[in-house]
Amino acid sequence: MLDRLAARWRHLFKLDPNRKLSDLALKKICESGTDAIIVGGTDGVTFKNTWELLQRIKDYPVTCVQEISSISAVVPGFDGYLIPTVLNTDNAYWIHGAHHEAIKKYGEFIPWDHVVFEGYVILNADSKASRLTGCKTELEEADVTAYAHLAEHLYRFPVLYVEYSGRFGDVELVKAAGKVLKQTRLFYGGGISSEEQAKTMAEWADTVVVGNLIYTNVEMAIDTVKWVKETKMGR
Ligand SMILES: CC(C)=CCC/C(C)=C/CC/C(C)=C/CC/C(C)=C/CC/C(C)=C/CC/C(C)=C/CC/C(C)=C/COP(=O)(O)OP(=O)(O)O
Ligand SMILES: O=P(O)(O)OC[C@@H](O)CO
Ligand SMILES: [Mg+2]
């Protein structure tokens, strides 16, 4: 069951199939001691570039999951599948419309034991994911904690993902979301590019996701694994 595995994840790397990464950098990422690698992104993700990246990662024993953002880029062979659903949008397509379409298409082929749903709250208005899905990003602490309750009690999602893709987020909002969650795990992702930032978010989020830094400073990206893992949770 993927949700049991995900319950132990502390650090994740997110690799974008639409970006170039050398074999050496990929080796370092796969052998870094991260708990798993997510393959996904918002734009330019295709069956071909996702499949090719999976083949390269498969040379290593690290767990590798696909975060599905496009119905046409679902690739068999991953250890599991993360399915985002956006909570802070009014556009039903990104809440469950795309999901309905995908379930109609893949039906009995869906390996449900290897699927984990993630309730996303996207807070960087400039990110591609926010622009695509029409997110309402001007949120107060009470809005974010209400979404956290929705994720846990209405939807019973195993994961709430506070997403700042591309920029470092507001720790007070992350802390507030974490404090109300009991069963649902809190993922944080966005803009981590220093030891202090990694440790700050690792104190309040169960799982910290590092993406862009892989492409700008792979050595520092590797260091985030130890920075996150040596940080004690503050809640
Ligand atoms: C055959 C086989 C193996 C079948 C299994 C397939 C399977 C598991 C099907 C399950 C059915 C299902 C429910 C599928 C979901 C379909 C789907 C397309 C859902 C919509 C997902 C969604 C809300 C996408 C919107 C964008 C988003 C939230 C993406 C998440 C990733 C993300 C935020 C990336 C980084 O952001 P970005 O802004 O792109 O950052 P960069 O600028 O750095 O790129
Ligand atoms: O790329 P960055 O900004 O590190 O964000 C990581 C991840 O949350 C993106 O979906
Ligand atoms: Mg992208």
Side-chain angles (χ1 to χ4, degrees):
M1 299 277 280
L2 185 67
D3 53 354
R4 286 205 208 118
L5 191 63
R8 296 200 301 271
W9 290 343
R10 186 79 174 112
H11 179 282
L12 299 172
F13 280 126
K14 191 178 286 191
L15 290 180
D16 188 338
N18 193 31
R19 294 174 84 167
K20 283 195 175 22
L21 193 64
S22 70
D23 287 342
L24 181 60
L26 185 70
K27 179 177 163 63
K28 288 180 179 178
I29 292 295
C30 292
E31 294 178 344
S32 63
T34 187
D35 295 307
I37 291 176
I38 302 175
V39 171
T42 303
D43 63 336
V45 177
T46 63
F47 182 93
K48 185 173 181 285
N49 59 23
T50 305
W51 188 84
E52 284 170 358
L53 182 55
L54 174 63
Q55 301 321 304
R56 293 173 68 204
I57 297 170
K58 275 192 157 178
D59 288 341
Y60 303 92
V62 66
T63 299
C64 183
V65 296
Q66 181 179 15
E67 187 172 56
I68 299 177
S69 57
S70 156
I71 295 172
S72 58
V74 173
V75 171
F78 279 90
D79 296 314
Y81 297 88
L82 302 180
I83 313 291
T85 176
V86 181
L87 299 175
N88 57 325
T89 179
D90 288 333
N91 185 337
Y93 184 76
W94 301 112
I95 303 170
H96 66 220
H99 313 71
H100 176 262
E101 214 174 301
I103 293 168
K104 244 175 113 179
K105 175 171 176 179
Y106 293 106
E108 65 197 78
F109 298 107
I110 299 175
W112 287 111
D113 283 352
H114 300 276
V115 170
V116 162
F117 281 95
E118 310 164 299
Y120 261 77
V121 178
I122 304 176
L123 292 167
N124 177 3
D126 296 328
S127 67
K128 289 176 201 155
S130 168
R131 279 188 261 127
L132 174 73
T133 61
C135 282
K136 294 179 289 180
T137 53
E138 294 300 311
L139 302 186
E140 298 170 354
E141 198 171 297
D143 296 306
V144 174
T145 53
Y147 282 125
H149 282 299
L150 270 180
E152 179 157 308
H153 299 291
L154 174 64
Y155 293 111
R156 297 188 187 275
F157 287 139
V159 172
L160 173 75
Y161 195 135
V162 175
E163 172 68 283
Y164 278 90
S165 179
R167 95 166 153 80
F168 189 65
D170 179 342
V171 66
E172 293 308 320
L173 292 185
V174 175
K175 188 170 167 179
K179 282 195 168 164
V180 305
L181 295 175
K182 295 198 168 55
Q183 304 297 323
T184 297
R185 226 177 144 76
L186 178 61
F187 282 21
Y188 169 81
I192 292 196
S193 58
S194 71
E195 177 171 359
E196 193 195 346
Q197 289 176 338
K199 290 188 166 175
T200 298
M201 288 308 180
E203 195 178 342
W204 303 109
D206 298 293
T207 306
V208 172
V209 185
V210 174
N212 280 310
L213 190 60
I214 299 164
Y215 301 91
T216 56
N217 186 342
V218 73
E219 300 302 335
M220 191 188 283
I222 302 301
D223 284 340
T224 64
V225 178
K226 71 168 186 284
W227 294 333
V228 167
K229 291 196 176 198
E230 69 192 22
T231 302
K232 246 183 95 217
M233 295 281 302
R235 62 180 169 92

